[in-house]
Amino acid sequence: MNAQTQQIIMTIVTWAGLFAVFYFILIRPQKKKDKKLKEMRQSLSVGDKVTTIGGIIANVAKIEEDFVVLELGPNRTKVPFEKWAIGTVESNKESVE
């Protein structure tokens, strides 16, 4: 092997190693997080207490394919939200009155 061939091989190995590092440090954990969020949003049920990505805490009143209707405040005002706006599920099956 001549020096130029060795240099090309080392460049390829370096780029492959760099890609592997980025994959395991950045890409793979983000995919796991996205999958977990999607599963959480798909498993929502009526009566769950949720927090939106905007910080609104409410109970799920109705679930549609792409959105959920949340009950807010003491008057139980019903407001529709996109499913992607649900940030966390605080607790499951709070008492629905």
Side-chain angles (χ1 to χ4, degrees):
M1 269 196 235
N2 61 22
Q4 189 175 10
T5 306
Q6 286 179 336
Q7 187 177 5
I8 291 172
I9 291 172
M10 285 304 296
T11 302
I12 291 171
V13 168
T14 302
W15 280 106
L18 198 60
F19 178 76
V21 167
F22 274 106
Y23 178 78
F24 286 107
I25 292 178
L26 298 173
I27 298 169
R28 190 167 177 233
Q30 185 63 41
K31 281 186 178 182
K32 281 185 177 181
K33 184 178 176 183
D34 290 345
K35 183 179 178 183
K36 192 173 182 180
L37 270 173
K38 184 177 180 181
E39 288 173 359
M40 180 267 304
R41 289 174 180 147
Q42 293 299 325
S43 67
L44 283 174
S45 59
V46 174
D48 287 350
K49 187 174 182 181
V50 298
T51 302
T52 66
I53 58 175
I56 297 171
I57 299 172
N59 290 323
V60 177
K62 182 179 176 183
I63 300 173
E64 296 291 329
E65 188 172 329
D66 293 330
F67 69 93
V68 294
V69 177
L70 301 179
E71 289 181 337
L72 307 171
N75 295 336
R76 295 186 171 208
T77 305
K78 292 185 168 86
V79 181
F81 281 87
E82 295 282 338
K83 273 191 178 177
W84 59 261
I86 304 299
T88 59
V89 176
E90 297 294 321
S91 61
N92 291 332
K93 300 294 181 194
E94 289 276 336
S95 62
V96 179
E97 301 172 47

